[in-house]
Amino acid sequence: MAALFGRRMRRGAASTAVAAAAMAALSASGAPSAVGEQPAASAAERPSAGASGQEDPSVTGDSPYHTDLPPLKGPGRNDPPDETPATGSAESGIPATVLDAYRKAEASLAASNPRCRVPWELLAAIGKVESGHARGGRLDTNGTTPSPILGPVLNGVGFANISDTDGGAYDGDTLHDRAVGPMQFIPQTWESWGRDGNGDGRRDPNNIYDAALAAGSYLCAHDRDLTVERDLHQAILGYNRSQEYLRTVLHWYDYYRKGAHEVPDGSQPAPGAPTGSGGKTPSPAPVRPGTPSPSPTKPGKPTKPAKPGDGSSSKPTPPPTTPPPTTPPPTTPPPTTPAPATRLVDLGDGALSAPARERFAERPAVRAERADKKPAAQAKVRFTLTGETGTTFEGGATTVTVTTKADGVAKAPALLAGGKPGALTVKATLLGTTEAVTLGLRGEVTAPRADKLVRTDETELTCEAGATFEGRIALTATRDGQAAPGVAATATVLAGADPADGEKAADQGPYFLTPGDEPAEDRRTRELTLTTDAKGNLLLPELHTDDTTGTFRLRVETTGGAVVVLELKVTDPA
């Protein structure tokens, strides 16, 4: 839904020149030719971006919009002969933060969806039409508008009728939806396409970085290539299904491609305010594209003069007056403020757990609820990590604040387990309440794992009875191809060469010696626990033999299930 802002009217001879130039610009840019104002495409004519037989909702709810066309050049305007915007012109200026958001969205999508090839100039064109680049770049240091940019209430009075889908979380209206933010997303579309463009862990339609990335993602949907004219037009029409909207966006897209420059945030005038916006100058009443203008009243027949003496008065009879309507025009109810959250509910299915130095499979999640146990949207929840495991949230922080969505759910970023096994707690605190509302979510960092274990020495594993094997056995443990330090491993001497002989430690044959001052016979063991070093290496102690000959097995297994089985042979003395 486009933001409503005033249209400067071009009158007189200049209007004809502008219209002619507009047609030329459209033809030159490859946009569809226009013979006049065309209505929005009918349901049968609209391009479907969804599955066969089903049409996706547009980003904006197909609401009307008003915006100026970019400056056009033509005869008699003392402009340069080409149609390139004058360097440094006011109209080609884009506020610095807004321009940065458009360019970062282009770079992000080039990496994640290279086929699409969305240009930042297209995002700038849509941002210009929808909100005048976030009201001329009026943003805080994070790129968020100080107050929401809201489209008209979609209550069916002059607009589409879309009942509330977000509990007022985004638009403050619990009866009907409104488009929100610099790129004017209706709440139900934002729920599907909202993105975190500035990496703060939130998806905020009022943030230009989030909104620009979301708009680009929507334009790229359905495997589109925006260098293909048909895909480009379908993408724009998916934003607002109006041929007039398509032509206007293409005008600005072509204009910015010919040159644009950065201007300071807030240095440009903000677009006109929507009707009823707190006493500010209202924009012209929105007219749905294609709606015919009221026809002028046809002049009546001239009144014949009265003949003298026929009893008629010489004064004309006043026309009948229509009494004013007794029914007041419909009014839009003011947005209602949802009741605040009063409690948190843990949405986890048990203790959070992950091996050391690995990512937790589950993310801490809670639901904020009001006193009536209904979800509380837009509540602030702070997640804090405690414990000695070295665990952090993705990005390295130990404290993050998340805003709940329409369903009241707040999910913390992914957890990255530290290198020290042990218990941890994720504390979830509901902010903005008079009484402390806190949940403690239990977690654990378990021993590190290895998924592969390989032998790295070439020691001969044959020894005479009553002697010591030559050299020491060396192995290396890895996880996902990387060294696995601190991984526990168990080395066990097993009887027989066949697994059918059993997996229990042998009671005779090769053995290790544990450290200590006791006699060697008292320190014999055939089962030993070890830990890999900082490079994932494992060096077993020396293996000794008693007077039992035969074939044995040495089984080494790490946490995580990596296993190596080696054959040991004990022969008669020479």
Side-chain angles (χ1 to χ4, degrees), residues 468 511-526 542 544-546:
T468 300
Y511 60 88
F512 300 105
L513 287 177
T514 60
D517 297 330
E518 297 85 357
E521 289 187 1
D522 296 336
R523 293 187 285 116
R524 291 184 181 184
T525 181
R526 292 180 174 86
E542 288 183 327
H544 308 278
T545 67
D546 57 16

Side-chain angles (χ1 to χ4, degrees), residues 327 442 498 516:
T327 303
R442 301 290 181 180
D498 193 330

Side-chain angles (χ1 to χ4, degrees), residues 111-256:
S112 63
N113 190 353
R115 170 183 166 78
C116 178
R117 291 180 277 191
V118 60
W120 70 261
E121 294 91 346
L122 177 59
L123 298 175
I126 291 175
K128 174 68 173 178
V129 172
E130 295 296 342
S131 67
H133 300 313
R135 296 185 181 132
R138 284 158 177 79
L139 303 164
D140 64 18
T141 55
N142 295 320
T144 303
T145 59
S147 59
I149 300 175
L150 298 176
V153 178
L154 299 178
N155 58 3
V157 181
F159 306 103
N161 188 353
I162 302 180
S163 298
D164 175 61
T165 61
D166 65 330
Y170 295 120
D171 54 17
D173 192 330
T174 57
L175 297 178
H176 296 90
D177 273 350
R178 304 174 70 171
V180 183
M183 304 303 276
Q184 289 288 279
F185 278 82
I186 56 175
Q188 60 179 316
T189 312
W190 182 258
E191 278 300 303
S192 300
W193 292 97
R195 298 290 186 269
D196 178 12
N198 60 355
D200 64 354
R202 298 181 55 199
R203 300 183 306 149
D204 184 358
N206 298 298
N207 181 277
I208 186 59
Y209 290 96
D210 294 359
L213 183 58
S217 300
Y218 182 90
L219 295 170
C220 288
H222 308 295
D223 204 28
R224 292 190 185 108
D225 178 355
L226 297 186
T227 62
V228 177
E229 183 180 273
R230 180 176 180 276
D231 284 0
L232 173 65
H233 291 184
Q234 279 194 340
I236 297 172
L237 286 170
Y239 218 92
N240 188 311
R241 297 182 178 94
S242 159
Q243 294 294 328
E244 181 185 14
Y245 182 86
L246 172 64
R247 290 194 298 272
T248 304
V249 169
L250 287 173
H251 268 310
W252 281 107
Y253 175 39
D254 188 60
Y255 185 71
Y256 287 137

Side-chain angles (χ1 to χ4, degrees), residues 374-421:
K374 291 185 178 180
Q378 296 296 91
K380 304 284 187 183
V381 178
R382 183 173 61 211
F383 292 95
T384 305
L385 280 167
T386 61
E388 303 298 327
T389 63
T391 300
T392 66
F393 293 109
E394 194 167 32
T398 56
T399 300
V400 295
T401 300
V402 179
T403 301
T404 61
K405 299 189 294 184
D407 57 4
V409 174
K411 274 191 175 183
L415 289 171
L416 301 179
K420 184 178 179 182

Side-chain angles (χ1 to χ4, degrees), residues 299-306 312-318:
K301 296 182 180 179
T303 305
K304 295 181 180 180
S312 60
S313 171
S314 60
K315 295 182 179 180
T317 302

